Each structure stands twice: as C-alpha cells, then as structure tokens.
Amino acid sequence: MQKVIGKQARIVLFIILGFIALGALKLAFGTQAFVLTASFLVIVLVSMGIAKKYYAQAVILTGGISLLIITALFFPDVDMTKASSGSTFLDIFIEIKSVFSDSIARLGLIIMVIAGFSRYMNDIGASAKLVELCIKPLKRINAKYILLGVCYILMQVLALFISSPSGLALLMLTTLFPVLRSIGCSRAAVASVIASGICIDYGPSATGSVLISEITGYDLFSFFVDKQIPIVAILFIVIGISHMIMQAYWDKKEGVNDEQPEENEKTAEIASHIPGYYALLPVVPMIILFTFSSLIEEHLPSFLQLKIDVVSAIILSFFIAFLIDSIRSLDLKKSTEKVMGLFDQMGQSFITVVSILLCAQVLVAGIIKIGFIDILFSFIPNEDHYATMMIILFSLLIFFGSVIMGTATVFNAFAPLSAEVAQGAGISVFKMLVPLHFSASLGRSFSPISGVIIAVSGFIGVTPFEIIKRNCVQLTIAYILMMTLSISIL
C-alpha cells in the first residue's frame, strides 16, 4: 500500500513540476517557445502511448484535454467555447461536448450507417453473390499471371461496395482462391494478390473519403469522381501489371512456378442458394448517389433533379434490400433477425472508428486553441516547393504510422490537423489530404500486424513477411506514382 501511495505521490509531483517548468519556460523564452514545447511534448507523449499499444482513444483524448487545460491556465483570455459557462475550466468540457455532438451527428452517423449496411449485405449473402458473379469470367482466362493482375483490379472494383479489407479478403479466400489455385497459381502469389486487394482506400464508402468530404464540405460522390478516380484508375492498372511481373519473378526465384493445382480444395458455398439479382443490392447506394449527384443533374428532367445525402441513400438502399429479402424468404422473423447484424456493426464501428475520430477532434481543438497552428504557419513559406515538401513529409509520417500500427485509422486521427496546416500554409486541402489518405492504406499493406495480412497468411499458410516481400515492389511503385499524381493533378 505504501508503495502505491508513493507512486501516486510521485505522479502528482511530476505533473506539478511539469506545469511549473512550462511556466518558467514561458517567462524565460516567450509565448512561441512555450506553445511549441507544450504542443510537441503532448504530441510526442500521445505518439509514444499509441506505439506502446495503450488504448489509442484514451491516449489521444487525454492529450487533447491536457492541451485545453494548459491553454486555460496560461492563456485565460482565449475563448474555449462559443457559449461560455462563466468558468474557463468548465468551458473546456463544454467545448468537448460540442465537438462530440457535432462529429457524431454528421461524420459519426455516416460511418456507422455505411458499416452497418456492409454487414447487412454480408449477412443476407448479397456481397458473396456479387463476388461470385464477378469471378465467373475470370475462369475463362488461362494465363495465370495475367489472371492474377486482372483479379487484383477486380478486387479494387469490388472494394467500392465491400469497404472492409478483411471482409473482402475473406470473401476472396473462399471464392477466388480455389479458382486461382485450379489453374496453377502458387499459394504465395494468390495470398499476395488477395492481401493487397484494398491497398488503397477509396470510394464513397471509405471512412477516409467521408472524412475528407466533411472537412472540405465537398459532395462525397463528386469528390470520389473528381479527386480520386483520376488517380486510382492509373494506380490500379500499374499495380495490376506489376503483380503479373513480380509474382512470376518470385515464383521463378523460389521454384514454385510449376506447382500443381490441388484438386481437393473446395470453394465455400456462400452464395449457392442466393439468387443472382442479390448481387445488385450492394451497388444500390452507388446508383442512388450517382443518379442524384451534381454530376448528372443537368442531364435529368426537372422532376428528377433531386438531392439526397449519403445516410439517406444508404437507409433507402437497406429498406429496398430488406423488402426484397423478406419477400423472397417469406419468413419475416428470419429476415428481421438479419437486421440485428446491421445495428451490431454500427456499434462496433463506433467503438473502433468513430471513437478515435471524436478523440482526435478534441486533440485538434487543443492544438488550435493553444495557438500551435498559428505559430507553425508563421514559419512556413508559401512557395510551391515548400508546399510540396510539406505534403511529402506529412504523407511519410502517416505512411510509417500505418506500418507501425497496422491500420489506416492513423489518417482519421490526424486528418483534421493536416487540413488546418494545409489551409494556413496556402496549400490545397485536397492536395494534402488525398495523398495522406492513400498513404495510410498503403502503409497498412506493408505492416506484418495488419489484420488483413494476418488473416490471409493464416488462411493460406504463408508468413506475413512473405506476402510483404512479394508486394513491396509494386506497392512502392504505387506510393511514388500516387504522390506524383496527387501533387500534379490535384
């Protein structure tokens, strides 16, 4: 007991001495040195906590609250929130409440509804049916390395409708893997292609796309068409061709190019009893968003020039799918039970994705309130070459953060801050956020602790490092090409 009390006393003393040291720093070196030191200290501690696998949300939220408290103590004239309570200390938590309520009502709801709809499509068999129909034409291609490249591109198309990397990979493992093995593709080659299936997060259903749309105020579907397609269309072709070359190279080098197909492997009959029209159900939200987007509005008659947001489109799509599934099964009880997965996944997405976005918003609020962004801007020249260097630097930080953590949610945590830096430095927000978004997912594909790589390696029986080794060349090419296209096009 005495040891515990002694440890608690040391922690309290450390915190008190820390605030005294910050105060002395402010008096001795001025406001700029104080703000930069305090901000960097909090950011470093948050990064260390995440690297040591502490609960990321708690670490990020604590960092944000710490910065807000420091701001309240040392800069009492700063307005902590729009509607003050009369107490600067209480205003900190009123501001956090405002951040939470705004983010949950807008961005959080979109993410949860998309995740729930994806789960529902999986539970009713629509996702599996879509995959099954898409791979049928592939069976007619006899050249196995060409087929590997084509399959990669197909997976990226399917990623528009199945946004979970692990979910898409598992579907591919039960449907595409036996097809590729039956024509003589090696286990390691198939594992590498499937593991890289969503190496670039994109499309209206991607969390990062939703976040960028919210930050910029740009229509989500228009953002997908205008800002992402010009880049990813080139990337997918290049990566697909690179897969053809590199998988053939590694098979030859490792002596597995003559590996015989295993006839005992069977496909999982996920979609065996699902009608073909179910394959259209995951595509319905895309059809609705495209039909009522600004891209084709002028080509429609006036009575069809309607507006619909992402959440409403997905809820409408869910209702259509629910009616179709209920009528087909003629078992309302069974059909309603499938809806449970939708809400379960919404809750899971709040725990894993939305929560870290909420906490990141608090950290960003602390960084902005203390004045870190304003001081940082004063050191940043606005010339084009400096802007390019900043984009590359931020992208590399996000990339290596994803490699270390094995997840692309690093982008979600730092996107708001990156947008603030871009605006203050006179850089296009799209030019900053789009390469950061792609860097996060590419970094995840290099991580041996990534969920999708672990799932694929465990299922097929190869090591994560073997997958990364086979993919490193094509993904490195993709990263360099992505940065070049993003800086030149956006």
Side-chain angles (χ1 to χ4, degrees):
M1 179 64 71
Q2 290 180 346
K3 289 183 178 180
V4 173
I5 294 174
K7 188 175 182 180
Q8 292 173 341
R10 287 196 296 271
I11 292 173
V12 172
L13 181 62
F14 177 79
I15 293 173
I16 294 173
L17 290 176
F19 278 104
I20 293 173
L22 287 174
L25 179 67
K26 185 173 183 291
L27 290 173
F29 297 99
T31 300
Q32 282 194 348
F34 168 80
V35 170
L36 291 175
T37 302
S39 301
F40 276 121
L41 179 62
V42 169
I43 292 172
V44 168
L45 290 174
V46 167
S47 302
M48 288 175 60
I50 294 174
K52 291 183 177 181
K53 297 186 178 180
Y54 292 159
Y55 184 54
Q57 285 86 330
V59 173
I60 294 171
L61 181 61
T62 302
I65 294 175
S66 299
L67 282 176
L68 290 172
I69 290 174
I70 292 171
T71 304
L73 287 175
F74 292 96
F75 303 101
D77 295 333
V78 174
D79 293 329
M80 300 302 298
T81 189
K82 293 180 181 178
S84 176
S85 65
S87 167
T88 305
F89 181 75
L90 291 180
D91 285 349
I92 292 173
F93 300 95
I94 293 173
E95 176 65 12
I96 293 173
K97 184 266 297 184
S98 299
V99 170
F100 275 24
S101 59
D102 291 344
S103 298
I104 291 174
R106 297 183 293 113
L107 181 61
L109 181 62
I110 294 173
I111 293 171
M112 288 190 292
V113 170
I114 288 174
F117 180 77
S118 178
R119 167 72 175 272
Y120 183 69
M121 289 295 101
N122 183 68
D123 289 348
I124 65 175
S127 295
K129 197 65 184 180
L130 176 64
V131 172
E132 181 190 65
L133 293 181
C134 287
I135 66 172
K136 281 185 177 179
L138 298 179
K139 296 179 181 179
R140 302 176 182 177
I141 302 176
N142 293 322
K144 60 182 181 181
Y145 293 113
I146 294 177
L147 182 57
L148 284 171
V150 172
C151 285
Y152 167 79
I153 296 174
L154 167 66
M155 288 182 66
Q156 289 291 4
V157 174
L158 289 172
L160 277 172
F161 316 108
I162 307 170
S163 57
S164 166
S166 298
L168 179 60
L170 290 173
L171 280 173
M172 293 294 101
L173 288 170
T174 55
T175 54
L176 188 61
F177 176 69
V179 174
L180 294 174
R181 293 286 290 134
S182 68
I183 63 169
C185 294
S186 68
R187 282 178 170 271
V190 178
S192 302
V193 171
I194 292 178
S196 67
I198 305 186
C199 63
I200 299 175
D201 290 334
Y202 79 110
S205 63
T207 301
S209 300
V210 176
L211 181 57
I212 295 174
S213 175
E214 285 292 320
I215 290 174
T216 60
Y218 204 78
D219 176 69
L220 180 58
F221 198 86
S222 298
F223 165 70
F224 161 60
V225 174
D226 297 340
K227 308 298 183 182
Q228 290 186 326
I229 284 183
I231 297 174
V232 298
I234 298 173
L235 289 178
F236 294 161
I237 294 173
V238 171
I239 297 174
I241 294 173
S242 299
H243 265 307
M244 299 177 195
I245 298 170
M246 294 309 302
Q247 300 310 330
Y249 166 79
W250 284 111
D251 280 352
K252 183 177 180 180
K253 183 174 182 179
E254 296 174 355
V256 295
N257 58 316
D258 292 324
E259 187 174 349
Q260 296 299 315
E262 298 179 8
E263 300 191 0
N264 292 331
E265 295 194 68
K266 298 179 180 179
T267 62
E269 298 182 358
I270 298 175
S272 58
H273 304 295
I274 303 296
Y277 59 83
Y278 264 51
L280 293 175
L281 297 181
V283 190
V284 171
M286 297 289 293
I287 295 173
I288 294 173
L289 289 171
F290 178 74
T291 302
F292 300 115
S293 71
S294 57
L295 295 172
I296 64 169
E297 182 179 11
E298 60 184 24
H299 303 295
L300 296 175
S302 58
F303 69 91
L304 284 179
Q305 293 181 1
L306 308 174
K307 299 290 183 182
I308 188 169
D309 59 272
V310 177
V311 173
S312 301
I314 293 175
I315 293 174
L316 173 58
S317 303
F318 157 71
F319 182 65
I320 293 170
F322 175 71
L323 285 179
I324 291 174
D325 191 59
S326 300
I327 293 170
R328 170 182 167 267
S329 66
L330 296 177
D331 187 342
L332 189 59
K333 186 176 185 296
K334 187 176 180 180
S335 296
T336 53
E337 287 175 350
K338 295 175 184 177
V339 181
M340 182 173 62
L342 181 146
F343 291 104
D344 178 68
Q345 190 62 44
M346 287 179 66
Q348 289 297 319
S349 68
F350 181 88
I351 293 171
T352 57
V353 179
V354 177
S355 59
I356 197 170
L357 290 174
L358 296 177
C359 297
Q361 294 282 2
V362 175
L363 178 61
V364 170
I367 289 172
I368 293 173
K369 294 291 183 183
I370 201 172
F372 176 79
I373 297 297
D374 293 333
I375 293 174
L376 186 64
F377 291 160
S378 66
F379 297 121
I380 299 174
N382 287 331
E383 287 82 357
D384 290 340
H385 63 286
Y386 285 108
T388 301
M389 288 174 59
M390 185 180 300
I391 295 169
I392 294 173
L393 176 61
F394 271 67
S395 297
L396 288 172
L397 289 173
I398 295 292
F399 175 85
F400 286 111
S402 296
V403 173
I404 293 170
M405 295 176 63
T407 174
T409 55
V410 177
F411 170 77
N412 302 335
F414 292 99
L417 176 61
S418 303
E420 292 286 341
V421 172
Q423 290 175 342
I427 304 171
S428 165
V429 178
F430 291 114
K431 187 170 287 191
M432 173 68 83
L433 292 183
V434 170
L436 261 60
H437 182 206
F438 292 156
S439 295
S441 49
L442 282 167
R444 178 187 61 208
S445 301
F446 276 94
S447 175
I449 61 172
S450 168
V452 62
I453 290 181
I454 291 173
V456 172
S457 62
F459 185 98
I460 294 183
V462 297
T463 66
F465 292 100
E466 190 170 358
I467 292 175
I468 295 170
K469 176 191 71 176
R470 281 177 167 259
N471 285 344
C472 64
V473 172
Q474 45 271 52
L475 295 184
T476 300
I477 293 172
Y479 181 83
I480 296 171
L481 181 59
M482 178 274 294
M483 291 299 301
T484 304
L485 292 173
S486 298
I487 292 171
S488 60
I489 292 177
L490 298 176

